[in-house]
Amino acid sequence: MNNWFLLLEDPAPDNSGWVSIALMVGVILIMYFIMIRPQKKQQKQIDDMRNNLQVGDEITTIGGIIGKIVSIKEETCIIETGRDGVRMRILRSAVRCVDVPANAANYTINVEDKNTEDEFADENSAAESTENTKKKKK
């Protein structure tokens, strides 16, 4: 009976410690190059984008608000949204992306964006005509 336990023992335990350490270091290096390094690189790009904001840039915030930068201070900027000129003060850290840079001279609207803008305008005009009809009936 005791002979079975002797067969389960490791016959050469002298190098197994170094192999375990080498495997752990290898796993940590792989994790660094696959997960941590790309995330740091992406965060650096986002920080550079937020530090290079200019007046006139059209931006999208992390909350989905789209507007044009009117003024910039240290950690805040004021954006103007919509046709009615509503202005909001937001943090620079709330900017998700720059849609149209201020110095983009040859900017063209995508066909999809144009279609959605036309649909939005059609919905607004339909709502206004419905309201005008209701007012006339009264």
Side-chain angles (χ1 to χ4, degrees), residues 10-131:
D10 191 13
D14 53 357
N15 289 333
S16 66
W18 290 105
V19 172
S20 297
I21 291 173
L23 285 175
M24 283 293 250
V25 169
V27 167
I28 290 172
L29 287 175
I30 290 171
M31 293 283 284
Y32 175 77
F33 282 108
I34 290 177
M35 296 176 66
I36 298 170
R37 189 167 180 241
Q39 185 177 8
K40 284 185 178 182
K41 188 176 182 181
Q42 184 181 21
Q43 187 62 40
K44 186 175 185 266
Q45 289 175 345
I46 291 171
D47 290 341
D48 289 343
M49 179 266 306
R50 289 178 179 158
N51 290 331
N52 294 326
L53 290 175
Q54 297 177 357
V55 173
D57 286 348
E58 289 187 23
I59 61 165
T60 301
T61 66
I62 56 175
I65 299 171
I66 300 171
K68 190 174 195 176
I69 296 178
V70 178
S71 70
I72 299 175
K73 293 188 179 178
E74 289 180 20
E75 290 299 316
T76 62
C77 58
I78 297 175
I79 63 171
E80 188 173 281
T81 62
R83 294 182 188 147
D84 53 355
V86 174
R87 292 184 177 200
M88 293 183 215
R89 191 171 115 193
I90 62 168
L91 294 173
R92 278 187 186 221
S93 60
V95 176
R96 181 176 66 194
C97 64
V98 176
D99 298 328
V100 182
N103 55 5
N106 297 329
Y107 175 70
T108 58
I109 297 176
N110 292 339
V111 174
E112 294 174 5
D113 293 342
K114 183 67 175 165
N115 290 340
T116 55
E117 288 177 4
D118 291 341
E119 290 172 4
F120 181 71
D122 292 340
E123 289 174 7
N124 285 343
S125 62
E128 289 175 4
S129 64
T130 306
E131 289 177 14

Side-chain angles (χ1 to χ4, degrees), residues 131-138:
E131 289 177 14
N132 291 339
T133 308
K134 288 179 182 177
K135 288 180 182 177
K136 288 180 183 178
K137 287 182 181 179
K138 289 182 182 180

